[in-house]
Amino acid sequence: MSTDQLSVIFAALADPTRRAILAHLAKGEASVTELAKPFEMSLPAISKHLKVLERAGLITRSREAQWRPCQIEAQPLKDAADWIEQYRQFWEESLDRLDDYLHELQTQEKQNEQSK
């Protein structure tokens, strides 16, 4: 996964409406009309959000007669989660080392107080 593609994915996820659309699609495919119901916006506005999600690879749209169902695509979300996971591990390890260091300082402080 390229950094540029990650940028497109994170830009798409930055909008709360698009995240809500993805949450809806995580339950199963839906039409544009169904996706628009919870929002106070026009169908063209929802379609713009869908185009952003589609460009990011987060959804696909197919055609079944008059119905154009949208489906979530899991792989780009997994790629973004994998990228974030690297940093979560880094911060957990850093915080664990800090915790160990603070524990060591507290132990030394107790020993110093007891030896006085």
Side-chain angles (χ1 to χ4, degrees):
M1 162 107 346
S2 72
T3 304
D4 290 343
Q5 185 60 27
L6 275 175
S7 296
V8 173
I9 291 167
F10 284 124
L13 294 173
D15 185 274
T17 300
R18 292 192 283 267
R19 291 192 306 271
I21 289 170
L22 288 175
H24 187 284
L25 291 174
K27 299 172 189 169
E29 67 182 24
S31 69
V32 176
T33 306
E34 291 169 331
L35 293 170
K37 281 181 185 175
F39 305 103
E40 293 183 19
M41 60 179 68
S42 66
L43 287 178
I46 290 294
S47 289
K48 286 182 182 180
H49 283 294
L50 294 175
K51 285 177 186 173
V52 171
L53 292 169
E54 197 170 19
R55 263 183 267 131
L58 295 166
I59 66 165
T60 56
R61 293 196 263 186
S62 58
R63 186 177 291 265
E64 296 174 15
Q66 298 292 339
W67 196 51
R68 293 202 61 198
C70 299
Q71 301 92 20
I72 195 167
E73 290 295 322
Q75 189 59 49
L77 289 171
K78 182 183 179 318
D79 294 340
D82 289 347
W83 184 85
I84 290 170
E85 176 65 16
Q86 297 171 35
Y87 294 94
R88 185 192 64 77
Q89 287 177 352
F90 166 77
W91 283 109
E92 275 190 8
E93 290 168 5
S94 296
L95 291 172
D96 286 346
R97 285 192 306 273
L98 179 60
D99 188 46
D100 291 344
Y101 179 69
L102 289 174
H103 182 70
E104 183 181 317
L105 287 177
Q106 288 171 340
T107 302
Q108 288 175 0
E109 188 176 297
K110 284 180 184 177
Q111 288 173 350
N112 288 342
E113 286 177 7
Q114 289 173 353
S115 66
K116 288 183 179 179

